[in-house]
Amino acid sequence: MFTNIVARWPGSTPDSFVFSSSLIGQRFESQPRTLEGGFLLGDSGYPCKPYLMTPYLNPTSVNEEAFNQAHKATRVAIKQTFGWWKRRFHLLHSEVRMKPEKVCLIIGACAILHNIAILRSEPQDCHLLHEDDQPAMAPFHGPENGNAVRDHICHTFF
Protein backbone atom coordinates (compact mmCIF):
# COMPACT_ATOMS: atom_id res chain seq x y z
CA MET A 1 0.00 0.00 0.00
CA PHE A 2 1.06 3.57 -0.55
CA THR A 3 1.57 5.56 2.63
CA ASN A 4 2.91 8.78 1.12
CA ILE A 5 2.46 10.19 -2.38
CA VAL A 6 4.05 13.41 -3.65
CA ALA A 7 2.69 14.15 -7.12
CA ARG A 8 3.33 17.83 -7.60
CA TRP A 9 6.54 17.62 -9.65
CA PRO A 10 6.92 16.89 -13.38
CA GLY A 11 8.10 13.42 -14.41
CA SER A 12 11.65 14.52 -15.20
CA THR A 13 12.28 15.75 -11.64
CA PRO A 14 14.80 13.48 -9.87
CA ASP A 15 13.24 11.18 -7.25
CA SER A 16 15.84 12.28 -4.69
CA PHE A 17 14.76 15.94 -5.05
CA VAL A 18 11.09 15.03 -4.71
CA PHE A 19 11.86 13.00 -1.58
CA SER A 20 14.08 15.64 0.05
CA SER A 21 11.45 18.35 -0.52
CA SER A 22 8.58 16.19 0.78
CA LEU A 23 7.21 16.35 4.31
CA ILE A 24 8.29 12.77 5.01
CA GLY A 25 11.81 13.49 3.68
CA GLN A 26 12.09 16.54 5.91
CA ARG A 27 10.92 14.52 8.92
CA PHE A 28 13.54 11.84 8.32
CA GLU A 29 16.20 14.53 7.90
CA SER A 30 15.31 16.28 11.17
CA GLN A 31 14.71 13.25 13.43
CA PRO A 32 17.58 11.23 14.88
CA ARG A 33 17.52 7.57 13.75
CA THR A 34 18.56 4.34 15.42
CA LEU A 35 19.28 0.92 13.95
CA GLU A 36 16.15 -0.38 15.66
CA GLY A 37 14.03 2.36 14.06
CA GLY A 38 14.67 0.99 10.58
CA PHE A 39 15.79 2.60 7.36
CA LEU A 40 14.56 3.62 3.96
CA LEU A 41 16.13 2.03 0.90
CA GLY A 42 17.07 4.06 -2.13
CA ASP A 43 18.72 3.29 -5.43
CA SER A 44 22.00 4.81 -6.54
CA GLY A 45 20.22 8.03 -7.54
CA TYR A 46 19.90 8.94 -3.85
CA PRO A 47 22.59 10.12 -1.43
CA CYS A 48 23.45 7.67 1.34
CA LYS A 49 22.08 9.21 4.54
CA PRO A 50 21.89 7.91 8.14
CA TYR A 51 18.23 7.00 7.49
CA LEU A 52 18.49 6.18 3.75
CA MET A 53 20.64 3.24 2.71
CA THR A 54 21.89 3.02 -0.87
CA PRO A 55 23.91 0.24 -2.49
CA TYR A 56 27.68 0.38 -2.69
CA LEU A 57 28.57 1.70 -6.15
CA ASN A 58 31.82 -0.28 -6.26
CA PRO A 59 31.71 -3.04 -3.64
CA THR A 60 35.19 -4.11 -2.55
CA SER A 61 34.44 -6.94 -0.13
CA VAL A 62 32.25 -10.00 0.23
CA ASN A 63 30.30 -8.14 2.96
CA GLU A 64 29.57 -5.22 0.64
CA GLU A 65 28.48 -7.62 -2.14
CA ALA A 66 26.16 -9.37 0.33
CA PHE A 67 24.77 -6.01 1.50
CA ASN A 68 24.08 -5.00 -2.12
CA GLN A 69 22.36 -8.32 -2.81
CA ALA A 70 20.13 -8.00 0.28
CA HIS A 71 19.42 -4.37 -0.62
CA LYS A 72 18.40 -5.35 -4.15
CA ALA A 73 16.21 -8.24 -2.97
CA THR A 74 14.43 -6.00 -0.47
CA ARG A 75 13.78 -3.23 -3.01
CA VAL A 76 11.98 -5.75 -5.23
CA ALA A 77 8.82 -5.21 -3.16
CA ILE A 78 8.53 -1.55 -4.15
CA LYS A 79 9.38 -2.30 -7.77
CA GLN A 80 6.62 -4.90 -7.79
CA THR A 81 4.20 -2.42 -6.25
CA PHE A 82 4.90 0.15 -8.95
CA GLY A 83 4.52 -2.57 -11.59
CA TRP A 84 1.15 -3.63 -10.13
CA TRP A 85 0.06 -0.01 -9.93
CA LYS A 86 0.95 0.68 -13.58
CA ARG A 87 -0.83 -2.47 -14.74
CA ARG A 88 -3.91 -1.65 -12.70
CA PHE A 89 -3.98 1.92 -14.08
CA HIS A 90 -2.51 1.73 -17.56
CA LEU A 91 -2.71 5.52 -17.78
CA LEU A 92 0.40 5.63 -15.54
CA HIS A 93 2.54 3.82 -18.14
CA SER A 94 3.11 6.86 -20.32
CA GLU A 95 2.89 10.60 -20.57
CA VAL A 96 -0.46 12.00 -19.46
CA ARG A 97 -1.33 14.95 -21.69
CA MET A 98 -3.35 17.06 -19.30
CA LYS A 99 -2.70 20.09 -17.14
CA PRO A 100 -0.16 19.30 -14.39
CA GLU A 101 -2.68 20.08 -11.65
CA LYS A 102 -5.08 17.51 -13.08
CA VAL A 103 -2.33 14.90 -13.48
CA CYS A 104 -1.41 15.36 -9.80
CA LEU A 105 -5.01 14.65 -8.81
CA ILE A 106 -5.17 11.59 -11.10
CA ILE A 107 -1.98 10.12 -9.62
CA GLY A 108 -3.29 10.67 -6.09
CA ALA A 109 -6.63 9.09 -7.02
CA CYS A 110 -4.86 6.09 -8.56
CA ALA A 111 -2.86 5.63 -5.33
CA ILE A 112 -6.02 5.75 -3.22
CA LEU A 113 -7.87 3.35 -5.53
CA HIS A 114 -4.84 1.00 -5.48
CA ASN A 115 -4.91 0.96 -1.66
CA ILE A 116 -8.67 0.29 -1.68
CA ALA A 117 -8.13 -2.60 -4.12
CA ILE A 118 -5.53 -4.08 -1.77
CA LEU A 119 -7.84 -3.70 1.25
CA ARG A 120 -10.60 -5.45 -0.72
CA SER A 121 -8.19 -8.21 -1.87
CA GLU A 122 -8.73 -7.49 -5.54
CA PRO A 123 -6.72 -9.93 -7.70
CA GLN A 124 -3.43 -8.99 -9.35
CA ASP A 125 -1.63 -10.21 -12.46
CA CYS A 126 0.69 -12.55 -10.55
CA HIS A 127 2.38 -13.87 -13.69
CA LEU A 128 3.89 -10.39 -14.16
CA LEU A 129 5.08 -10.19 -10.56
CA HIS A 130 8.80 -9.90 -11.31
CA GLU A 131 8.59 -7.35 -14.11
CA ASP A 132 11.07 -4.55 -13.52
CA ASP A 133 9.69 -1.54 -15.36
CA GLN A 134 11.49 1.11 -13.36
CA PRO A 135 14.01 3.26 -15.22
CA ALA A 136 17.68 2.99 -14.31
CA MET A 137 18.81 5.93 -12.21
CA ALA A 138 22.11 7.77 -12.64
CA PRO A 139 24.33 7.37 -9.57
CA PHE A 140 24.23 10.22 -7.05
CA HIS A 141 27.41 12.28 -6.92
CA GLY A 142 27.60 14.55 -3.91
CA PRO A 143 27.91 14.50 -0.13
CA GLU A 144 27.17 11.14 1.48
CA ASN A 145 26.74 11.40 5.24
CA GLY A 146 25.31 7.92 5.75
CA ASN A 147 28.38 5.94 4.71
CA ALA A 148 29.42 5.20 8.30
CA VAL A 149 25.96 3.86 9.14
CA ARG A 150 25.90 1.75 5.96
CA ASP A 151 29.40 0.41 6.69
CA HIS A 152 28.34 -0.49 10.24
CA ILE A 153 25.28 -2.37 8.96
CA CYS A 154 27.35 -4.08 6.28
CA HIS A 155 30.11 -5.28 8.60
CA THR A 156 27.79 -6.17 11.50
CA PHE A 157 25.13 -8.11 9.63
CA PHE A 158 26.90 -9.35 6.50
Side-chain angles (χ1 to χ4, degrees), residues 39-102:
F39 299 94
L40 298 175
L41 297 181
D43 60 29
S44 60
Y46 287 85
C48 185
K49 299 270 193 171
Y51 57 86
L52 177 63
M53 297 294 100
T54 60
Y56 287 93
L57 291 179
N58 299 304
T60 58
S61 70
V62 172
N63 297 57
E64 291 176 2
E65 291 279 353
F67 175 89
N68 277 3
Q69 187 59 35
H71 185 280
K72 181 180 178 180
T74 305
R75 284 193 61 240
V76 164
I78 191 61
K79 289 183 174 201
Q80 289 174 345
T81 300
F82 281 123
W84 287 344
W85 195 36
K86 287 179 177 182
R87 283 188 301 279
R88 181 171 271 146
F89 302 101
H90 192 69
L91 160 86
L92 300 173
H93 265 287
S94 60
E95 180 182 348
V96 182
R97 294 179 183 234
M98 296 179 196
K99 290 184 179 181
E101 299 80 23
K102 192 169 202 169

Side-chain angles (χ1 to χ4, degrees), residues 81-155:
T81 300
F82 281 123
W84 287 344
W85 195 36
K86 287 179 177 182
R87 283 188 301 279
R88 181 171 271 146
F89 302 101
H90 192 69
L91 160 86
L92 300 173
H93 265 287
S94 60
E95 180 182 348
V96 182
R97 294 179 183 234
M98 296 179 196
K99 290 184 179 181
E101 299 80 23
K102 192 169 202 169
V103 174
C104 293
L105 291 173
I106 289 170
I107 290 170
C110 288
I112 291 167
L113 291 170
H114 177 80
N115 286 353
I116 291 169
I118 289 171
L119 290 172
R120 297 188 59 162
S121 301
E122 293 291 327
Q124 282 292 340
D125 295 332
C126 293
H127 66 284
L128 298 174
L129 194 62
H130 298 289
E131 180 182 311
D132 182 5
D133 57 2
Q134 292 297 300
M137 301 304 294
F140 174 81
H141 296 291
E144 305 262 6
N145 65 4
N147 289 346
V149 175
R150 180 179 61 191
D151 288 345
H152 173 73
I153 292 168
C154 178
H155 296 102

